[in-house]
Amino acid sequence: MNITHPFVDADGDKLREECGIFGVIGAHEAAAVCALGLHALQHRGQEAVGITSFDGAEFFTRRGLGHVADNFSSGDSIAELPGTTAAGHVRYSTTGGAGLRNVQPLYAELASGGFAVAHNGNISNAGHLRGDLVRRGAIFQSTSDTEVIIHLVATSRYPNLRDKIVDALRLVEGAYSLILMTPQGMIACRDPLGIRPLVMGALGDATVFASETVALDVVGASFTRQIDPGEMVEVDFDGKITSHRPFAQVAARPCIFEHVYFSRPDSIFNQRSVYESRKMIGVELAKEAPCEADLVVPVPDSGVPAAIGYSQQSGIPFELGIIRSHYVGRTFIQPSDSARNSGVKRKHNANRALVEGKKIVLIDDSIVRGTTSLKIVQMMRDAGAREVHFRVASPPTGHGCYYGVDTPERSKLLAGRMDVDAMREFIQADSLAFVSIDGLYRAVGLAGRNDACPQYCDACFTGDYPTSLTDLGERHNREAQLTLPVNSKVA
């Protein structure tokens, strides 16, 4: 269960990043550095964690369900992972589902030696590729799309391992940031669109890779640069760094939701402070959707920066009208329906003395299914708020993500089946407004969305997917075949 992002209820009423990755080569006790880096990325995945290390002769792997601290807090757990090179992964499940067999890094013995992969993203033609591989005799040990990459590397006819990796990645579509460990060193790469993030840093003589800059900060590494879209960076055991650009150059489309919600606010994404972007979203929201109110109240914690921006732009005082409890554990017992339904109040409670009799502007980062927003609005009303106006620091999320985000089907997304007025009625707010797509682009430092060539992947808002979606298309074709009358034919 996710406990970092508040208000995640049994319906999964928040979008969740699939995972975070971290790698280090050339560091004393590399596994300990890796565990610390993964702890800083815990918000990106709380279902499971794994670390693989290499001591120059052998690979060692330890994986477990739960948080980093649950699995790597003791000296004994780190002692099981010797060597100066390590890569790790924290995850939620999207493709492949839950279970220890899907916990990364995934490891395999290839003809060229050991090979470990940590992957952030989602391969949108993994099912198609997997079917081809199985028909050719491949035997899979997991249901993760990442294992498809391993099989493609193993079956490539190129003699050089780096060329095998490039050959494999040319067959996949979708999003990937990868950290790969080989007997020759470490390789980090991003897909040509750069949908998922990956940065590089230096820790003394060691080289570090991570999903976010905050992980570099926490381990004491200095930020070097981001890995560019379509770039492959190779580091050998002597510390030599080589950059390769084996893919055709295309216009980058990094995920704009990193600015909205996924990244920690103290990270830098795409050369911009995430905190500053979120605050500026609130500024744009105040310009586009002003409101007469007494207080601006964030839905903690993800709504705080946008609420600050909204307050500063509108002149309406910012107040903590909702107080978050930081002591709600993953194993909290919920013995009855009434207890389960009180989940929001266990995590948050209205500051009644502050909100009673007031007109409130609530600021949240997104609305997914809408069930949580309904509970929050009702909580404010129960605390005596006179009016509750809801403002959302992202456009309506009306489309699914197929690039590494755990998104409900479109039929379960509130914006996928309702217009804004119907959504307002559903959550029972006095008014509801979302930042526009152009306002979101302005908040991240651009003039607006370039519809001819968007600068970010914003498919969850616009339905404008930057890659083919082979598996989805094949699934729709199968479903269409199943619904055909018995005697019908397809032209």
Side-chain angles (χ1 to χ4, degrees):
M1 182 186 292
N2 175 0
I3 60 170
T4 295
H5 298 322
F7 286 136
V8 176
D9 58 14
D11 292 331
D13 196 19
K14 279 287 182 185
L15 300 184
R16 303 189 307 185
E17 238 298 5
E18 182 185 340
C19 60
I21 56 177
F22 186 95
V24 57
I25 178 168
H28 178 64
E29 293 189 332
V33 177
C34 190
L36 186 59
L38 291 176
H39 192 273
L41 299 173
Q42 188 75 85
H43 59 288
R44 299 184 75 88
Q46 298 181 35
E47 178 184 277
V49 57
I51 295 177
T52 296
S53 71
F54 182 62
D55 67 356
E58 292 185 64
F59 287 83
F60 303 84
T61 296
R62 180 184 174 96
R63 299 182 294 171
L65 302 178
H67 289 189
V68 177
D70 297 335
N71 293 279
F72 295 101
S73 60
S74 70
D76 291 342
S77 61
I78 298 300
E80 293 178 14
L81 299 165
T84 60
T85 303
H89 187 275
V90 289
R91 85 183 297 259
Y92 287 120
S93 59
T94 56
T95 297
L100 195 59
R101 65 176 177 162
N102 290 321
V103 180
Q104 299 185 33
L106 296 185
Y107 175 79
E109 286 284 348
L110 307 183
S112 56
F115 184 73
V117 182
H119 170 211
N120 176 20
N122 203 61
I123 306 305
S124 57
N125 65 336
H128 179 84
L129 294 171
R130 186 187 186 98
D132 286 346
L133 287 162
V134 169
R135 284 188 289 273
R136 287 156 50 191
I139 299 173
F140 282 77
Q141 301 298 312
S142 77
T143 55
S144 168
D145 61 336
T146 308
E147 192 176 359
V148 170
I149 297 174
I150 294 177
H151 281 278
L152 291 174
V153 172
T155 56
S156 172
R157 295 181 181 274
Y158 282 84
N160 177 277
L161 180 58
R162 185 181 72 238
D163 291 338
K164 286 177 178 287
I165 294 168
V166 173
D167 184 38
L169 294 179
R170 282 180 174 150
L171 296 174
V172 306
E173 67 183 34
Y176 56 84
S177 285
L178 299 172
I179 296 175
L180 309 103
M181 295 172 61
T182 78
Q184 289 75 47
M186 180 170 283
I187 297 172
C189 60
R190 280 175 91 188
D191 68 78
L193 292 169
I195 297 174
R196 302 258 67 87
L198 190 62
V199 297
M200 179 169 64
L203 181 63
D205 294 331
T207 301
V208 181
F209 299 101
S211 291
E212 293 184 37
T213 61
V214 66
L216 305 180
D217 297 338
V218 168
V219 303
S222 59
F223 173 73
T224 303
R225 62 180 179 86
Q226 74 169 3
I227 305 302
D228 290 334
E231 183 185 16
M232 178 178 289
V233 176
E234 194 171 9
V235 186
D236 67 19
F237 294 114
D238 292 326
K240 181 183 177 182
I241 301 173
T242 308
S243 173
H244 309 277
R245 299 179 186 271
F247 307 108
Q249 188 172 359
V250 295
R253 295 281 297 275
C255 173
I256 201 166
F257 220 88
E258 293 285 346
H259 282 300
V260 174
Y261 181 64
F262 294 143
S263 291
R264 269 181 44 165
D266 45 345
S267 281
I268 305 295
F269 173 65
N270 212 30
Q271 289 86 49
R272 185 170 175 85
S273 160
V274 173
Y275 176 82
E276 185 64 24
S277 290
R278 291 178 187 169
K279 196 167 75 166
M280 290 306 298
I281 294 172
V283 170
E284 291 293 331
L285 193 54
K287 292 177 181 177
E288 294 180 348
C291 181
E292 290 188 10
D294 302 308
L295 301 175
V296 174
V297 174
V299 177
D301 290 324
S302 54
V304 171
I308 292 172
Y310 193 101
S311 171
Q312 290 177 351
Q313 176 64 31
S314 66
I316 302 171
F318 169 95
E319 295 287 357
L320 296 179
I322 300 172
I323 305 301
R324 178 187 171 195
S325 169
H326 292 265
Y327 304 100
V328 179
R330 290 177 293 120
T331 56
F332 188 90
I333 298 172
Q334 299 175 331
S336 66
D337 288 341
S338 60
R340 281 189 289 269
N341 291 335
S342 69
V344 167
K345 284 197 172 183
R346 286 192 293 106
K347 297 173 183 177
H348 296 79
N349 192 43
N351 189 346
R352 178 181 291 272
L354 184 68
V355 306
E356 189 169 16
K358 301 291 198 311
K359 298 178 182 179
I360 305 299
V361 181
L362 282 174
I363 309 288
D364 204 357
D365 63 271
S366 60
I367 293 180
V368 182
R369 298 174 188 261
T371 52
T372 296
S373 301
L374 170 62
K375 293 173 185 177
I376 299 167
V377 171
Q378 188 58 52
M379 184 172 66
M380 290 289 97
R381 295 200 190 280
D382 290 345
R386 185 150 52 100
E387 294 178 10
V388 181
H389 302 273
F390 214 103
R391 297 292 181 267
V392 185
S394 62
T397 306
H399 304 270
C401 176
Y402 303 95
Y403 302 123
V405 178
D406 188 10
T407 312
E409 296 177 3
R410 190 177 186 194
S411 62
K412 296 179 180 178
L413 292 167
L414 199 65
R417 55 192 176 89
M418 295 183 184
D419 62 19
V420 173
D421 191 58
M423 294 173 72
R424 180 205 60 77
E425 186 174 350
F426 179 88
I427 69 171
Q428 298 180 14
D430 290 285
S431 69
L432 171 65
F434 298 78
V435 73
S436 68
I437 190 70
D438 283 330
L440 177 57
Y441 273 80
R442 287 192 295 270
V444 300
L446 299 169
R449 187 180 194 268
N450 182 341
D451 293 339
C453 185
Q455 302 95 322
Y456 283 91
C457 178
D458 53 24
C460 55
F461 307 130
T462 64
D464 180 7
Y465 295 97
T467 73
S468 299
L469 300 173
T470 298
D471 287 353
L472 181 66
E474 291 182 352
R475 190 186 80 189
H476 286 170
N477 287 338
R478 289 193 299 270
E479 291 171 351
Q481 291 286 339
L482 290 173
T483 59
L484 286 173
V486 174
N487 295 322
S488 66
K489 296 182 179 179
V490 177

